[in-house]
């Protein structure tokens, strides 16, 4: 018991350290959010100006599927990043590394399964989402590209939470823009 009191006294929280950590975390979180929003806005501008209102409507019709991909990545990425952040706080590198590895494998497997499942049934999903004959071909075409690249979107979004947990925004350049290739390819069609 006496040893524990000595350990408790040696660990003192310093407000400036906590404030610096909070600033790092907030900075990385804000950069992640801004990067994602810039990618979505860029897609919307390119699609609306280059392909017309029907293609823009098709993209809006596929939003439930896009949200499905986000749901998978948020579920795994956010939960795992909280566990990893706790490991970082405890200075337990084994816990952090194993959490990251398990999350990466799980995101990959679920990403492949969701991507393959939605890609195989993309025509059926498109007819469920859209009953307008003029927009349906656009929905089907966009959905085929979107579902084909779902694995990248799921991995990218899931790994963004680790960037936020680590507080190092420099890694953002490796995760966020890579996952946004899907919409940019579609917009150029």
């Amino acid at each position: 018991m006496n040893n524990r009191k000595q350990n408790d006294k040696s660990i003192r929280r310093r407000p400036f350290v906590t404030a610096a950590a909070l600033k790092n975390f907030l900075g990385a979180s804000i950069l992640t959010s801004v990067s994602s929003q810039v990618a979505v806005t860029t897609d919307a501008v390119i699609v609306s100006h280059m392909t017309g209102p029907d293609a823009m409507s098709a993209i809006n019709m596929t939003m439930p599927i896009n949200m499905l991909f986000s749901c998978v990545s948020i579920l795994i990425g956010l939960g795992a990043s909280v566990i990893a952040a706790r490991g970082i706080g405890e200075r337990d590198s084994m816990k952090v590394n194993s959490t990251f590895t398990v999350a990466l494998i799980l995101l990959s497997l679920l990403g492949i399964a969701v991507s393959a499942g939605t890609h195989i049934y993309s025509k059926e999903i498109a007819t469920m989402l859209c009953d307008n004959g003029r927009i349906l071909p656009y929905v089907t075409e966009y959905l085929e590209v979107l579902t084909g690249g779902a694995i990248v979107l799921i991995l990218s979004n899931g790994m963004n939470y680790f960037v936020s947990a680590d507080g190092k925004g420099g890694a953002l350049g490796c995760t966020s823009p890579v996952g946004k290739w899907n919409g940019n390819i579609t917009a150029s069609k």
Side-chain angles (χ1 to χ4, degrees):
M1 183 71 176
N2 194 18
N3 189 22
R4 184 173 179 181
K5 284 185 179 180
Q6 287 176 345
N7 287 339
D8 288 343
K9 289 180 183 178
S10 66
I11 299 173
R12 291 190 181 147
R13 294 186 184 192
R14 298 192 175 132
F16 66 91
V17 173
T18 306
L22 181 63
K23 285 179 186 176
N24 280 342
F25 174 76
L26 283 176
S29 297
I30 290 169
L31 285 174
T32 301
S33 297
V34 168
S35 176
S36 295
Q37 290 304 315
V38 166
V40 169
T41 304
T42 303
D43 284 349
V45 168
I46 290 172
V47 169
S48 65
H49 287 293
M50 305 209 45
T51 60
D54 288 346
M56 187 65 189
S57 297
I59 289 175
N60 288 333
M61 294 276 202
T62 61
M63 272 304 162
I65 302 303
N66 209 352
M67 291 299 110
L68 171 70
F69 301 151
S70 293
C71 178
V72 170
S73 64
I74 289 169
L75 181 70
I76 305 301
L78 189 58
S81 71
V82 169
I83 295 169
R86 186 169 179 173
I88 290 169
E90 295 170 351
R91 301 190 192 290
D92 186 356
S93 62
M94 289 296 291
K95 183 177 187 177
V96 174
N97 291 337
S98 64
T99 301
F100 180 80
T101 302
V102 169
L104 184 63
I105 291 169
L106 196 55
L107 282 167
S108 299
L109 292 175
L110 284 173
I112 290 169
V114 170
S115 184
T118 54
H119 191 72
I120 290 169
Y121 296 106
S122 62
K123 289 181 180 157
E124 291 82 359
I125 294 170
T127 56
M128 286 178 10
L129 294 173
C130 178
D131 61 355
N132 186 329
R134 189 180 79 216
I135 299 174
L136 184 60
Y138 291 113
V139 173
T140 305
E141 184 178 356
Y142 184 74
L143 202 56
E144 286 174 354
V145 174
L146 179 69
T147 58
I151 177 68
V152 177
L153 290 170
I154 290 170
L155 276 171
S156 169
N157 290 339
M159 291 297 106
N160 279 340
Y161 292 106
F162 281 95
V163 172
S164 295
D166 191 19
K168 294 183 177 145
L172 178 68
C174 297
T175 59
S176 228
V178 171
K180 307 307 177 199
W181 69 276
N182 206 2
N184 292 335
I185 289 175
T186 305
S188 66
K189 279 193 165 196

